[in-house]
Amino acid sequence: MRVLLFAGLAELAGRRELALTVAEGGLDVARLVVRVAALEPALAGRSFRVAVNRRYAQPADAVRPGDEVALIPPVSGG
Amino acid sequence: MRVLLFAGLAELAGRRELALTVAEGGLDVARLVVRVAALEPALAGRSFRVAVNRRYAQPADAVRPGDEVALIPPVSGG
Amino acid sequence: MILVSTQPIDVPSVLAAVEGPGEGGVVLFLGRVRHEARGQAVQRLDYEAYGDMALDELKSLAGEAQRLHGASRVALVHRTGSLEVGELAVAIAVSAPHRKEAFVACEWLIDTLKRRVPIWKKEWYADGSQWIAEHP
Amino acid sequence: MILVSTQPIDVPSVLAAVEGPGEGGVVLFLGRVRHEARGQAVQRLDYEAYGDMALDELKSLAGEAQRLHGASRVALVHRTGSLEVGELAVAIAVSAPHRKEAFVACEWLIDTLKRRVPIWKKEWYADGSQWIAEHP
């Protein structure tokens, strides 16, 4: 599963996406966040929301292989 | 003294200004309104404010010969 | 830019008049002639102004928006004469360092202009016309 | 018109997108790059967007402005890429039959865009740069 990174998070990780291996049944957003921090320690403890298929998701929401996942740091558009 | 008329008041009076003869000492706005109604009965009882030298005036304010006087019906700009 | 004129309103120049390097927010209000008013189909509008006084009042509104409502730069343009449906009657632009002040000042300006500035509109319908008295 | 693009914002086309014969009031908000932020001189800004999601969010904001805030037509344009001081970053136009709804909906849109749409800015100063985190 690809996890898209933006702005400050992309700079911290030194890349624009992470590749996460996920079981077929998927996992929830809270668990995904733990996996991300383990894979890329530079992101541990950073503030972000998770978007699944281009919508903001809650910690208990499900993520399945094939979903488009993105980490959304605090926004500052406008 | 010229008294300028606008919009509906000008249509009612059939002209764009009235000529009022005023004593050298002038008069107050309240008295001017009475004089206007006597001179042009079509304006009697109509709703308007009075402007003296391009500023809204109060009933007790003084009007002198040479002042620019206008009757301002309810506005509807914008 | 403070203007009462029979010329069509040029929106880009109204916006350009409030530009500045410290002004992060611009709010523009445009008032357009609608095809309908008071339940009747409108064919066109005539706007009449007491030109000199209207200009003085617009200038004093601009000053108040700056002193009391946080506006940095203000542009006020009102058209007069005969206007077709869809044409612009009024344009008000306000810039400010931050957007909140620009919104507040712009809305205050159009509300106050409508109450205070000596301009009148006459609505023309298929079967007649009338002068509108919105703010006694 | 709902757009996230590296192209400079064309204000006349943003305004044209909300025109309609029944829309008497138009309110436009423009957000421009300021020469100063957080007490420091700004040289330029970079805007980055999660493009597809930003577009979806802007569309859903437009729908909410129409359903909940009385907007008739809405145009939302956000620029991305590298912007100089004075350039437009965002333009929001709203039309409505009457002005009050247009003001309310336009201000709601910029406030909510800033909180919700996945777009980020990086400020460049003489001695460095930083990503701005305005809305966690």
Tab-separated table of all heavy atoms in Angstrom, chain C residues 52-113:
chain	number	residue	atom	x	y	z
C	52	ASP	N	-22.703	65.781	-6.570
C	52	ASP	CA	-21.668	66.352	-5.693
C	52	ASP	C	-21.790	65.838	-4.265
C	52	ASP	O	-20.795	65.494	-3.623
C	52	ASP	CB	-21.782	67.876	-5.685
C	52	ASP	CG	-21.431	68.465	-7.048
C	52	ASP	OD1	-20.692	67.800	-7.799
C	52	ASP	OD2	-21.900	69.575	-7.345
C	53	MET	N	-23.023	65.770	-3.775
C	53	MET	CA	-23.205	65.310	-2.401
C	53	MET	C	-22.934	63.810	-2.299
C	53	MET	O	-22.346	63.336	-1.314
C	53	MET	CB	-24.623	65.630	-1.904
C	53	MET	CG	-24.839	65.187	-0.471
C	53	MET	SD	-26.459	65.705	0.176
C	53	MET	CE	-26.545	64.721	1.681
C	54	ALA	N	-23.347	63.055	-3.323
C	54	ALA	CA	-23.091	61.606	-3.306
C	54	ALA	C	-21.583	61.352	-3.213
C	54	ALA	O	-21.124	60.493	-2.453
C	54	ALA	CB	-23.673	60.949	-4.560
C	55	LEU	N	-20.818	62.124	-3.965
C	55	LEU	CA	-19.364	61.971	-3.938
C	55	LEU	C	-18.814	62.312	-2.548
C	55	LEU	O	-17.971	61.583	-2.006
C	55	LEU	CB	-18.764	62.900	-4.997
C	55	LEU	CG	-17.496	62.461	-5.688
C	55	LEU	CD1	-17.616	61.078	-6.293
C	55	LEU	CD2	-17.120	63.472	-6.770
C	56	ASP	N	-19.301	63.404	-1.968
C	56	ASP	CA	-18.864	63.766	-0.613
C	56	ASP	C	-19.201	62.653	0.380
C	56	ASP	O	-18.392	62.313	1.252
C	56	ASP	CB	-19.557	65.053	-0.154
C	56	ASP	CG	-18.956	66.294	-0.810
C	56	ASP	OD1	-17.937	66.160	-1.512
C	56	ASP	OD2	-19.511	67.392	-0.613
C	57	GLU	N	-20.408	62.114	0.285
C	57	GLU	CA	-20.822	61.053	1.211
C	57	GLU	C	-19.966	59.799	1.011
C	57	GLU	O	-19.587	59.138	1.977
C	57	GLU	CB	-22.306	60.719	1.009
C	57	GLU	CG	-23.259	61.762	1.589
C	57	GLU	CD	-23.286	61.746	3.118
C	57	GLU	OE1	-23.175	60.670	3.712
C	57	GLU	OE2	-23.394	62.839	3.708
C	58	LEU	N	-19.690	59.458	-0.237
C	58	LEU	CA	-18.851	58.272	-0.487
C	58	LEU	C	-17.463	58.473	0.103
C	58	LEU	O	-16.884	57.557	0.705
C	58	LEU	CB	-18.751	57.980	-1.989
C	58	LEU	CG	-20.036	57.476	-2.669
C	58	LEU	CD1	-19.809	57.311	-4.176
C	58	LEU	CD2	-20.518	56.160	-2.061
C	59	LYS	N	-16.927	59.682	-0.042
C	59	LYS	CA	-15.599	59.960	0.544
C	59	LYS	C	-15.642	59.825	2.057
C	59	LYS	O	-14.709	59.291	2.671
C	59	LYS	CB	-15.132	61.372	0.155
C	59	LYS	CG	-14.635	61.473	-1.274
C	59	LYS	CD	-14.257	62.920	-1.625
C	59	LYS	CE	-14.056	63.052	-3.138
C	59	LYS	NZ	-14.129	64.456	-3.598
C	60	SER	N	-16.714	60.303	2.652
C	60	SER	CA	-16.746	60.211	4.113
C	60	SER	C	-16.963	58.765	4.555
C	60	SER	O	-16.408	58.323	5.562
C	60	SER	CB	-17.734	61.228	4.706
C	60	SER	OG	-18.987	60.660	4.902
C	61	LEU	N	-17.711	57.978	3.769
C	61	LEU	CA	-17.827	56.546	4.077
C	61	LEU	C	-16.461	55.858	4.007
C	61	LEU	O	-16.121	55.035	4.856
C	61	LEU	CB	-18.756	55.844	3.077
C	61	LEU	CG	-20.244	56.155	3.116
C	61	LEU	CD1	-20.991	55.227	2.168
C	61	LEU	CD2	-20.785	56.014	4.514
C	62	ALA	N	-15.690	56.184	2.982
C	62	ALA	CA	-14.373	55.559	2.830
C	62	ALA	C	-13.501	55.869	4.042
C	62	ALA	O	-12.828	54.986	4.591
C	62	ALA	CB	-13.699	56.035	1.535
C	63	GLY	N	-13.540	57.126	4.485
C	63	GLY	CA	-12.763	57.520	5.656
C	63	GLY	C	-13.195	56.782	6.916
C	63	GLY	O	-12.361	56.326	7.709
C	64	GLU	N	-14.506	56.633	7.085
C	64	GLU	CA	-15.005	55.914	8.267
C	64	GLU	C	-14.605	54.436	8.222
C	64	GLU	O	-14.277	53.838	9.253
C	64	GLU	CB	-16.529	56.043	8.366
C	64	GLU	CG	-16.977	57.442	8.777
C	64	GLU	CD	-18.497	57.614	8.731
C	64	GLU	OE1	-19.209	56.789	9.336
C	64	GLU	OE2	-18.973	58.564	8.080
C	65	ALA	N	-14.649	53.852	7.023
C	65	ALA	CA	-14.263	52.431	6.899
C	65	ALA	C	-12.805	52.248	7.311
C	65	ALA	O	-12.427	51.234	7.908
C	65	ALA	CB	-14.479	51.944	5.468
C	66	GLN	N	-11.977	53.257	7.008
C	66	GLN	CA	-10.565	53.164	7.376
C	66	GLN	C	-10.361	53.416	8.863
C	66	GLN	O	-9.651	52.675	9.534
C	66	GLN	CB	-9.747	54.150	6.531
C	66	GLN	CG	-9.689	53.709	5.061
C	66	GLN	CD	-9.102	54.756	4.141
C	66	GLN	OE1	-9.413	55.950	4.262
C	66	GLN	NE2	-8.277	54.331	3.206
C	67	ARG	N	-11.006	54.455	9.383
C	67	ARG	CA	-10.799	54.810	10.796
C	67	ARG	C	-11.455	53.833	11.751
C	67	ARG	O	-10.904	53.503	12.791
C	67	ARG	CB	-11.357	56.209	11.087
C	67	ARG	CG	-10.491	57.354	10.604
C	67	ARG	CD	-10.894	58.673	11.274
C	67	ARG	NE	-12.335	58.857	11.289
C	67	ARG	CZ	-13.059	59.294	10.259
C	67	ARG	NH1	-12.468	59.592	9.117
C	67	ARG	NH2	-14.367	59.447	10.366
C	68	LEU	N	-12.666	53.385	11.405
C	68	LEU	CA	-13.471	52.631	12.373
C	68	LEU	C	-13.546	51.142	12.090
C	68	LEU	O	-13.891	50.357	12.966
C	68	LEU	CB	-14.901	53.186	12.420
C	68	LEU	CG	-15.025	54.697	12.661
C	68	LEU	CD1	-16.482	55.127	12.567
C	68	LEU	CD2	-14.451	55.076	14.021
C	69	HIS	N	-13.262	50.722	10.861
C	69	HIS	CA	-13.522	49.322	10.521
C	69	HIS	C	-12.299	48.577	9.990
C	69	HIS	O	-12.435	47.496	9.423
C	69	HIS	CB	-14.682	49.235	9.524
C	69	HIS	CG	-15.962	49.814	10.058
C	69	HIS	ND1	-16.741	49.153	10.974
C	69	HIS	CD2	-16.562	51.013	9.858
C	69	HIS	CE1	-17.784	49.915	11.281
C	69	HIS	NE2	-17.694	51.048	10.625
C	70	GLY	N	-11.118	49.158	10.117
C	70	GLY	CA	-9.901	48.416	9.799
C	70	GLY	C	-9.554	48.291	8.329
C	70	GLY	O	-8.671	47.517	7.972
C	71	ALA	N	-10.227	49.050	7.465
C	71	ALA	CA	-9.882	48.989	6.040
C	71	ALA	C	-8.559	49.707	5.778
C	71	ALA	O	-8.276	50.734	6.381
C	71	ALA	CB	-10.981	49.635	5.202
C	72	SER	N	-7.731	49.166	4.889
C	72	SER	CA	-6.516	49.862	4.464
C	72	SER	C	-6.810	50.790	3.288
C	72	SER	O	-6.560	51.975	3.339
C	72	SER	CB	-5.439	48.870	4.030
C	72	SER	OG	-5.033	48.076	5.110
C	73	ARG	N	-7.310	50.216	2.217
C	73	ARG	CA	-7.655	51.009	1.033
C	73	ARG	C	-9.080	50.675	0.628
C	73	ARG	O	-9.525	49.536	0.762
C	73	ARG	CB	-6.712	50.674	-0.137
C	73	ARG	CG	-5.260	51.028	0.187
C	73	ARG	CD	-4.305	50.366	-0.800
C	73	ARG	NE	-2.955	50.335	-0.249
C	73	ARG	CZ	-1.880	50.805	-0.877
C	73	ARG	NH1	-2.001	51.314	-2.085
C	73	ARG	NH2	-0.697	50.751	-0.310
C	74	VAL	N	-9.768	51.682	0.105
C	74	VAL	CA	-11.179	51.530	-0.243
C	74	VAL	C	-11.409	52.096	-1.634
C	74	VAL	O	-10.882	53.157	-1.969
C	74	VAL	CB	-12.062	52.291	0.780
C	74	VAL	CG1	-13.519	52.290	0.339
C	74	VAL	CG2	-11.920	51.680	2.170
C	75	ALA	N	-12.180	51.400	-2.455
C	75	ALA	CA	-12.647	51.942	-3.734
C	75	ALA	C	-14.164	51.834	-3.769
C	75	ALA	O	-14.728	50.795	-3.418
C	75	ALA	CB	-12.026	51.171	-4.903
C	76	LEU	N	-14.809	52.928	-4.160
C	76	LEU	CA	-16.281	52.986	-4.190
C	76	LEU	C	-16.704	53.576	-5.525
C	76	LEU	O	-16.350	54.720	-5.839
C	76	LEU	CB	-16.784	53.908	-3.079
C	76	LEU	CG	-16.671	53.444	-1.628
C	76	LEU	CD1	-16.860	54.629	-0.681
C	76	LEU	CD2	-17.705	52.385	-1.319
C	77	VAL	N	-17.457	52.805	-6.292
C	77	VAL	CA	-17.922	53.303	-7.585
C	77	VAL	C	-19.413	53.023	-7.714
C	77	VAL	O	-19.858	51.889	-7.515
C	77	VAL	CB	-17.171	52.618	-8.747
C	77	VAL	CG1	-17.634	53.185	-10.085
C	77	VAL	CG2	-15.667	52.805	-8.591
C	78	HIS	N	-20.182	54.065	-8.033
C	78	HIS	CA	-21.618	53.882	-8.277
C	78	HIS	C	-21.943	54.411	-9.658
C	78	HIS	O	-21.541	55.503	-10.012
C	78	HIS	CB	-22.449	54.612	-7.224
C	78	HIS	CG	-23.822	54.021	-7.071
C	78	HIS	ND1	-24.734	53.973	-8.111
C	78	HIS	CD2	-24.431	53.425	-6.020
C	78	HIS	CE1	-25.843	53.376	-7.684
C	78	HIS	NE2	-25.681	53.031	-6.424
C	79	ARG	N	-22.670	53.608	-10.392
C	79	ARG	CA	-23.047	54.052	-11.729
C	79	ARG	C	-24.392	54.776	-11.672
C	79	ARG	O	-25.232	54.477	-10.825
C	79	ARG	CB	-23.138	52.846	-12.653
C	79	ARG	CG	-23.277	53.279	-14.096
C	79	ARG	CD	-22.980	52.171	-15.055
C	79	ARG	NE	-23.377	52.566	-16.386
C	79	ARG	CZ	-23.686	51.715	-17.344
C	79	ARG	NH1	-23.613	50.412	-17.117
C	79	ARG	NH2	-24.038	52.159	-18.536
C	80	THR	N	-24.602	55.693	-12.612
C	80	THR	CA	-25.901	56.365	-12.751
C	80	THR	C	-26.343	56.286	-14.202
C	80	THR	O	-25.593	55.842	-15.069
C	80	THR	CB	-25.806	57.843	-12.324
C	80	THR	OG1	-24.775	58.473	-13.082
C	80	THR	CG2	-25.501	57.970	-10.851
C	81	GLY	N	-27.580	56.692	-14.437
C	81	GLY	CA	-28.144	56.638	-15.790
C	81	GLY	C	-28.978	55.381	-15.954
C	81	GLY	O	-29.424	54.791	-14.973
C	82	SER	N	-29.180	54.983	-17.203
C	82	SER	CA	-30.070	53.871	-17.511
C	82	SER	C	-29.269	52.575	-17.602
C	82	SER	O	-28.303	52.479	-18.346
C	82	SER	CB	-30.770	54.154	-18.844
C	82	SER	OG	-31.730	53.154	-19.090
C	83	LEU	N	-29.661	51.559	-16.807
C	83	LEU	CA	-28.913	50.294	-16.755
C	83	LEU	C	-29.808	49.129	-17.170
C	83	LEU	O	-30.970	49.051	-16.752
C	83	LEU	CB	-28.393	50.026	-15.334
C	83	LEU	CG	-27.037	50.638	-14.974
C	83	LEU	CD1	-27.138	52.147	-14.823
C	83	LEU	CD2	-26.502	50.023	-13.688
C	84	GLU	N	-29.250	48.235	-17.952
C	84	GLU	CA	-29.946	47.011	-18.358
C	84	GLU	C	-29.787	45.946	-17.272
C	84	GLU	O	-28.863	46.009	-16.460
C	84	GLU	CB	-29.340	46.470	-19.662
C	84	GLU	CG	-29.348	47.456	-20.816
C	84	GLU	CD	-30.759	47.830	-21.232
C	84	GLU	OE1	-31.634	46.929	-21.242
C	84	GLU	OE2	-31.004	49.015	-21.527
C	85	VAL	N	-30.657	44.948	-17.326
C	85	VAL	CA	-30.528	43.781	-16.437
C	85	VAL	C	-29.142	43.156	-16.621
C	85	VAL	O	-28.666	43.001	-17.749
C	85	VAL	CB	-31.622	42.736	-16.752
C	85	VAL	CG1	-31.358	41.426	-16.014
C	85	VAL	CG2	-32.994	43.281	-16.374
C	86	GLY	N	-28.488	42.835	-15.519
C	86	GLY	CA	-27.168	42.214	-15.572
C	86	GLY	C	-26.031	43.216	-15.472
C	86	GLY	O	-24.897	42.833	-15.174
C	87	GLU	N	-26.303	44.506	-15.681
C	87	GLU	CA	-25.221	45.497	-15.577
C	87	GLU	C	-24.909	45.804	-14.115
C	87	GLU	O	-25.756	45.676	-13.227
C	87	GLU	CB	-25.612	46.782	-16.315
C	87	GLU	CG	-25.532	46.636	-17.823
C	87	GLU	CD	-25.528	47.999	-18.509
C	87	GLU	OE1	-26.596	48.615	-18.611
C	87	GLU	OE2	-24.445	48.454	-18.922
C	88	LEU	N	-23.670	46.227	-13.895
C	88	LEU	CA	-23.245	46.561	-12.537
C	88	LEU	C	-23.700	47.960	-12.161
C	88	LEU	O	-23.461	48.913	-12.892
C	88	LEU	CB	-21.720	46.513	-12.424
C	88	LEU	CG	-21.081	45.136	-12.520
C	88	LEU	CD1	-19.560	45.271	-12.421
C	88	LEU	CD2	-21.615	44.235	-11.414
C	89	ALA	N	-24.312	48.069	-10.981
C	89	ALA	CA	-24.719	49.375	-10.467
C	89	ALA	C	-23.701	49.918	-9.477
C	89	ALA	O	-23.503	51.122	-9.385
C	89	ALA	CB	-26.090	49.264	-9.800
C	90	VAL	N	-23.067	49.024	-8.733
C	90	VAL	CA	-22.158	49.478	-7.686
C	90	VAL	C	-21.027	48.467	-7.505
C	90	VAL	O	-21.235	47.254	-7.678
C	90	VAL	CB	-22.942	49.690	-6.356
C	90	VAL	CG1	-23.586	48.417	-5.883
C	90	VAL	CG2	-22.049	50.261	-5.259
C	91	ALA	N	-19.847	48.984	-7.213
C	91	ALA	CA	-18.697	48.133	-6.902
C	91	ALA	C	-17.974	48.738	-5.703
C	91	ALA	O	-17.728	49.946	-5.669
C	91	ALA	CB	-17.741	48.035	-8.089
C	92	ILE	N	-17.669	47.899	-4.724
C	92	ILE	CA	-16.976	48.345	-3.514
C	92	ILE	C	-15.840	47.376	-3.242
C	92	ILE	O	-16.088	46.174	-3.076
C	92	ILE	CB	-17.919	48.357	-2.302
C	92	ILE	CG1	-19.107	49.287	-2.570
C	92	ILE	CG2	-17.177	48.760	-1.035
C	92	ILE	CD1	-20.109	49.341	-1.420
C	93	ALA	N	-14.625	47.870	-3.219
C	93	ALA	CA	-13.476	47.018	-2.909
C	93	ALA	C	-12.783	47.540	-1.665
C	93	ALA	O	-12.646	48.747	-1.474
C	93	ALA	CB	-12.499	46.975	-4.079
C	94	VAL	N	-12.373	46.611	-0.819
C	94	VAL	CA	-11.683	46.950	0.426
C	94	VAL	C	-10.494	46.023	0.574
C	94	VAL	O	-10.628	44.804	0.414
C	94	VAL	CB	-12.616	46.749	1.645
C	94	VAL	CG1	-11.863	46.981	2.938
C	94	VAL	CG2	-13.834	47.645	1.556
C	95	SER	N	-9.335	46.575	0.886
C	95	SER	CA	-8.209	45.719	1.248
C	95	SER	C	-7.854	45.963	2.699
C	95	SER	O	-8.146	47.017	3.272
C	95	SER	CB	-6.992	45.992	0.358
C	95	SER	OG	-6.526	47.305	0.559
C	96	ALA	N	-7.243	44.954	3.301
C	96	ALA	CA	-6.830	45.038	4.700
C	96	ALA	C	-5.713	44.018	4.888
C	96	ALA	O	-5.573	43.083	4.090
C	96	ALA	CB	-7.997	44.741	5.631
C	97	PRO	N	-4.893	44.211	5.941
C	97	PRO	CA	-3.844	43.215	6.165
C	97	PRO	C	-4.433	41.812	6.314
C	97	PRO	O	-3.875	40.846	5.809
C	97	PRO	CB	-3.176	43.690	7.456
C	97	PRO	CG	-3.432	45.164	7.497
C	97	PRO	CD	-4.794	45.341	6.886
C	98	HIS	N	-5.578	41.705	6.998
C	98	HIS	CA	-6.190	40.389	7.213
C	98	HIS	C	-7.647	40.407	6.760
C	98	HIS	O	-8.280	41.452	6.715
C	98	HIS	CB	-6.061	39.986	8.676
C	98	HIS	CG	-4.618	39.909	9.096
C	98	HIS	ND1	-3.773	38.911	8.660
C	98	HIS	CD2	-3.872	40.743	9.855
C	98	HIS	CE1	-2.570	39.129	9.162
C	98	HIS	NE2	-2.588	40.229	9.895
C	99	ARG	N	-8.155	39.230	6.453
C	99	ARG	CA	-9.436	39.161	5.749
C	99	ARG	C	-10.626	39.608	6.568
C	99	ARG	O	-11.582	40.162	6.025
C	99	ARG	CB	-9.667	37.751	5.215
C	99	ARG	CG	-9.940	36.687	6.269
C	99	ARG	CD	-10.003	35.321	5.611
C	99	ARG	NE	-10.364	34.260	6.540
C	99	ARG	CZ	-9.551	33.687	7.419
C	99	ARG	NH1	-8.296	34.105	7.525
C	99	ARG	NH2	-9.967	32.717	8.202
C	100	LYS	N	-10.614	39.360	7.865
C	100	LYS	CA	-11.781	39.669	8.695
C	100	LYS	C	-12.172	41.143	8.560
C	100	LYS	O	-13.345	41.469	8.354
C	100	LYS	CB	-11.467	39.328	10.159
C	100	LYS	CG	-12.638	39.501	11.099
C	100	LYS	CD	-13.703	38.434	10.876
C	100	LYS	CE	-15.057	38.863	11.428
C	100	LYS	NZ	-16.156	37.987	10.963
C	101	GLU	N	-11.191	42.019	8.682
C	101	GLU	CA	-11.460	43.452	8.571
C	101	GLU	C	-12.004	43.804	7.185
C	101	GLU	O	-12.874	44.660	7.046
C	101	GLU	CB	-10.187	44.274	8.811
C	101	GLU	CG	-9.702	44.308	10.251
C	101	GLU	CD	-8.958	43.046	10.668
C	101	GLU	OE1	-8.718	42.178	9.801
C	101	GLU	OE2	-8.638	42.915	11.862
C	102	ALA	N	-11.468	43.156	6.162
C	102	ALA	CA	-11.922	43.462	4.802
C	102	ALA	C	-13.392	43.081	4.623
C	102	ALA	O	-14.168	43.827	4.020
C	102	ALA	CB	-11.039	42.750	3.772
C	103	PHE	N	-13.790	41.923	5.158
C	103	PHE	CA	-15.198	41.521	5.063
C	103	PHE	C	-16.094	42.495	5.831
C	103	PHE	O	-17.121	42.961	5.324
C	103	PHE	CB	-15.405	40.100	5.615
C	103	PHE	CG	-15.163	39.014	4.603
C	103	PHE	CD1	-14.005	38.247	4.644
C	103	PHE	CD2	-16.088	38.763	3.613
C	103	PHE	CE1	-13.778	37.248	3.708
C	103	PHE	CE2	-15.876	37.756	2.675
C	103	PHE	CZ	-14.718	36.994	2.723
C	104	VAL	N	-15.714	42.793	7.073
C	104	VAL	CA	-16.545	43.670	7.905
C	104	VAL	C	-16.689	45.038	7.256
C	104	VAL	O	-17.803	45.582	7.140
C	104	VAL	CB	-15.943	43.803	9.322
C	104	VAL	CG1	-16.610	44.922	10.096
C	104	VAL	CG2	-16.074	42.477	10.073
C	105	ALA	N	-15.577	45.613	6.810
C	105	ALA	CA	-15.623	46.969	6.254
C	105	ALA	C	-16.421	46.994	4.950
C	105	ALA	O	-17.199	47.923	4.705
C	105	ALA	CB	-14.202	47.493	6.023
C	106	CYS	N	-16.274	45.980	4.114
C	106	CYS	CA	-16.987	45.966	2.831
C	106	CYS	C	-18.493	45.872	3.058
C	106	CYS	O	-19.269	46.598	2.433
C	106	CYS	CB	-16.487	44.821	1.960
C	106	CYS	SG	-17.114	44.886	0.262
C	107	GLU	N	-18.900	44.999	3.961
C	107	GLU	CA	-20.338	44.857	4.209
C	107	GLU	C	-20.904	46.123	4.870
C	107	GLU	O	-22.002	46.569	4.531
C	107	GLU	CB	-20.608	43.621	5.087
C	107	GLU	CG	-22.078	43.271	5.116
C	107	GLU	CD	-22.353	41.883	5.699
C	107	GLU	OE1	-21.425	41.263	6.262
C	107	GLU	OE2	-23.509	41.429	5.585
C	108	TRP	N	-20.135	46.716	5.784
C	108	TRP	CA	-20.568	47.967	6.389
C	108	TRP	C	-20.726	49.052	5.322
C	108	TRP	O	-21.696	49.827	5.329
C	108	TRP	CB	-19.550	48.420	7.451
C	108	TRP	CG	-19.919	49.733	8.084
C	108	TRP	CD1	-20.761	49.934	9.141
C	108	TRP	CD2	-19.484	51.032	7.669
C	108	TRP	NE1	-20.871	51.276	9.404
C	108	TRP	CE2	-20.104	51.967	8.523
C	108	TRP	CE3	-18.632	51.496	6.668
C	108	TRP	CZ2	-19.890	53.346	8.394
C	108	TRP	CZ3	-18.421	52.859	6.534
C	108	TRP	CH2	-19.044	53.778	7.403
C	109	LEU	N	-19.808	49.090	4.365
C	109	LEU	CA	-19.870	50.125	3.324
C	109	LEU	C	-21.120	50.006	2.463
C	109	LEU	O	-21.798	51.000	2.207
C	109	LEU	CB	-18.616	50.060	2.438
C	109	LEU	CG	-17.377	50.720	3.036
C	109	LEU	CD1	-16.127	50.293	2.292
C	109	LEU	CD2	-17.514	52.247	3.028
C	110	ILE	N	-21.450	48.802	2.006
C	110	ILE	CA	-22.631	48.701	1.141
C	110	ILE	C	-23.900	48.954	1.963
C	110	ILE	O	-24.816	49.643	1.501
C	110	ILE	CB	-22.663	47.361	0.358
C	110	ILE	CG1	-23.927	47.275	-0.515
C	110	ILE	CG2	-22.558	46.152	1.247
C	110	ILE	CD1	-24.020	48.333	-1.588
C	111	ASP	N	-23.956	48.445	3.201
C	111	ASP	CA	-25.135	48.709	4.035
C	111	ASP	C	-25.328	50.215	4.242
C	111	ASP	O	-26.447	50.729	4.163
C	111	ASP	CB	-24.992	48.036	5.416
C	111	ASP	CG	-25.130	46.516	5.342
C	111	ASP	OD1	-25.513	45.990	4.272
C	111	ASP	OD2	-24.849	45.847	6.358
C	112	THR	N	-24.238	50.903	4.524
C	112	THR	CA	-24.325	52.320	4.860
C	112	THR	C	-24.537	53.177	3.618
C	112	THR	O	-25.288	54.158	3.646
C	112	THR	CB	-23.072	52.751	5.642
C	112	THR	OG1	-22.851	51.792	6.685
C	112	THR	CG2	-23.241	54.120	6.258
C	113	LEU	N	-23.889	52.797	2.534
C	113	LEU	CA	-24.135	53.490	1.256
C	113	LEU	C	-25.634	53.487	0.935
C	113	LEU	O	-26.204	54.511	0.554
C	113	LEU	CB	-23.344	52.795	0.149
C	113	LEU	CG	-23.464	53.319	-1.293
C	113	LEU	CD1	-22.214	52.946	-2.082
C	113	LEU	CD2	-24.692	52.817	-2.037
